[in-house]
Amino acid sequence: MWKVSEKKLKRVTDLNIVPPVGNGIPIGGSPIWNSRLYNMRSFSWGGPKMIPSMDDFIFPPGGIPSLRLPTVVVSSSEMALVPGCRRVYANGHAYHINSISNNSDFETFISADDLRINLWNLEVSNQSFNIVDIKPSNMEDLTEVITSAEFHPSQCNTLAYSSSKGSIRLIDMRQSALCDNHSKLFEEQETPGTKFFFTAIIASISDIKFDRGGRYILSRDYMTLKLWDINMEANPIATFKVHEFLRPKLCDLYDNDSIFDKFECCISGDGLHVASGSYSNLFRVFGVAPGSEEATTLEASKTPNRGRHLQTPSKSGRFVNLGRGCRDNTRGNESPGSEMNGGAYDFTSKLLHLAWHPASNLIACAASNSLYMYYA
């Protein structure tokens, strides 16, 4: 029904419809209304009401050829990023790959497993060159494995790799095709009388990273972060204690296999901070500026400082400045917050992976199935 508001009706015009031609189809082939509607003329208020209905609508048999429905293109304004595999570099390793590092020449990269390091060309996926092979002829003679490998950030012929014995080897690919002989060996000498059952396990290096300038190497073993100068092979120039408070619990950590966890490390782009992960989704950030005593512990969560009561670090620690290359062989302060959260650490939630942005003061941490990014 048509409704008229409570206003005075002022004007009504004729219903101008083209009269039918032929079999109820007007010129032009458009559908028409029943002819009884064409008798409708101007009417006044209260006059007859002629209301068209769908019963008056007539379609000829076979439809109307000239009638075309408009084509509507539906498109989404949101951009969906779908990852796709562009190339597979297969059959290069017999063991699990633990490291991949791109070369500064933007043409090659290396991949490392426990016993071998292979050199690949980005455009060739079916062939690689073995540059390091420490596999003995008799596997019973195996004493160490490769744990991490990293290309120098600017020298395309130089790379470093670490081992389970706590040593770092620097090799030059210009010396020979098979680089089994290293050019430099970085290994801290053991203090006499300090060796015990877990010494070899906690000395194993899980990750190494070059700083942006390539002058320093940061290594991570189970207990500490160590900073090495590539011009000084005897000892690290700085040591940052990350898990020193766990030393009395090594037996328990060995029983639940937590002592074999592999934590990564990273250096900030400006070379003023180093960081590494820990348990209970915590990660530690150390300052390396001259006279810096900075040692911050944060939780990888939406509220990084939630429920964490940090102790003030002691003033005994001094750290080296990456930019000036100080040679103070000093150790960092002991881990603050050793009794944090009542001393109850969750060894099932561990922050193993983190990375620092090469140019910005931005750090990304992977905890469980979440990725957290922090900007200072």
Side-chain angles (χ1 to χ4, degrees):
M1 296 294 292
W2 288 349
K3 295 183 179 180
V4 179
S5 60
E6 296 180 359
K7 301 291 183 179
K8 183 178 180 180
L9 186 63
K10 294 182 177 181
R11 183 179 181 182
V12 177
T13 60
D14 293 342
L15 180 62
N16 185 16
I17 299 180
V18 180
V21 177
N23 189 20
I25 304 177
I27 299 175
S30 300
I32 62 173
W33 297 99
N34 193 291
S35 59
R36 68 185 177 86
L37 294 179
Y38 296 96
N39 297 324
M40 187 171 69
R41 290 293 182 266
S42 300
F43 60 91
S44 60
W45 179 254
K49 299 179 180 178
M50 303 296 293
I51 304 173
S53 65
M54 293 306 298
D55 296 334
D56 300 318
F57 197 67
I58 300 175
F59 268 103
I64 304 172
S66 62
L67 182 62
R68 296 290 186 270
L69 294 176
T71 302
V72 180
V73 179
V74 179
S75 60
S76 175
S77 59
E78 297 181 359
M79 180 181 296
L81 300 178
V82 180
C85 182
R86 298 181 58 186
R87 194 172 288 113
V88 177
Y89 303 87
N91 304 321
H93 293 274
Y95 303 94
H96 293 295
I97 297 174
N98 55 45
S99 299
I100 294 178
S101 179
N102 292 321
N103 200 347
S104 58
D105 61 4
F106 301 105
E107 295 181 357
T108 57
F109 70 95
I110 57 171
S111 59
D113 61 21
D114 289 346
L115 301 177
R116 304 180 67 181
I117 299 178
N118 293 338
L119 179 68
W120 301 80
N121 189 291
L122 290 171
E123 302 299 328
V124 182
S125 60
N126 60 355
Q127 185 181 19
S128 64
F129 299 93
N130 179 229
I131 56 176
V132 175
D133 191 349
I134 64 172
K135 182 179 180 180
S137 55
N138 185 1
M139 287 297 290
E140 294 182 356
D141 299 331
L142 183 66
T143 59
E144 63 179 338
V145 294
I146 299 171
T147 57
S148 181
E150 179 90 352
F151 256 123
H152 192 279
S154 59
Q155 300 176 10
C156 60
N157 57 282
T158 304
L159 63 95
Y161 70 92
S162 60
S163 76
S164 58
K165 279 190 172 181
S167 60
I168 302 173
R169 291 174 172 86
L170 195 69
I171 62 176
D172 190 342
M173 293 190 297
R174 297 173 298 182
Q175 294 180 350
S176 62
L178 187 61
C179 305
D180 287 341
N181 296 322
H182 53 269
S183 58
K184 290 186 177 182
L185 175 64
F186 304 92
E187 188 173 21
E188 188 175 15
Q189 301 301 320
E190 294 182 2
T191 304
T194 60
K195 190 173 182 179
F196 63 108
F197 179 78
F198 300 110
T199 299
I201 300 177
I202 63 177
S204 176
I205 296 176
S206 58
D207 190 28
I208 58 172
K209 289 291 189 300
F210 278 98
D211 77 309
R212 192 174 183 181
R215 169 74 182 275
Y216 300 93
I217 300 176
L218 181 68
S219 67
R220 171 67 200 266
D221 55 45
Y222 188 74
M223 305 296 290
T224 62
L225 278 167
K226 294 178 181 177
L227 190 65
W228 302 81
D229 189 329
I230 62 173
N231 298 321
M232 299 173 58
E233 305 174 40
N235 291 291
I237 57 176
T239 300
F240 309 94
K241 297 180 180 180
V242 181
H243 281 166
E244 190 64 25
F245 57 94
L246 293 178
R247 191 174 292 274
K249 303 179 181 179
L250 291 179
C251 291
D252 298 333
L253 296 171
Y254 179 80
D255 291 337
N256 60 22
D257 291 336
S258 294
I259 198 172
F260 301 103
D261 291 335
K262 307 298 181 184
F263 293 93
E264 294 182 358
C265 60
C266 60
I267 309 178
S268 62
D270 56 9
L272 297 179
H273 295 86
V274 296
S276 187
S278 182
Y279 295 105
S280 298
N281 287 342
L282 301 177
F283 65 98
R284 304 213 60 209
V285 181
F286 298 92
V288 295
S292 174
E293 299 169 1
E294 180 182 358
T296 305
T297 303
L298 296 174
E299 179 185 10
S301 66
K302 294 182 179 179
T303 54
N305 295 319
R306 173 172 54 91
R308 303 296 178 183
H309 303 287
L310 305 184
Q311 298 178 5
T312 303
S314 63
K315 298 184 178 181
S316 59
R318 292 180 296 141
F319 304 101
V320 66
N321 179 15
L322 295 182
R324 300 183 181 179
C326 302
R327 297 189 178 184
D328 296 334
N329 187 13
T330 57
R331 297 184 179 272
N333 59 295
E334 189 171 341
S335 174
S338 59
E339 299 299 324
M340 188 187 308
N341 202 18
Y345 271 81
D346 183 6
F347 295 105
T348 60
S349 58
K350 56 198 74 173
L351 201 154
L352 302 177
H353 310 288
L354 75 170
W356 214 303
H357 193 281
S360 301
N361 199 12
L362 183 70
I363 186 170
C365 307
S368 184
N369 61 346
S370 301
L371 178 66
Y372 300 94
M373 303 185 73
Y374 298 94
Y375 180 78

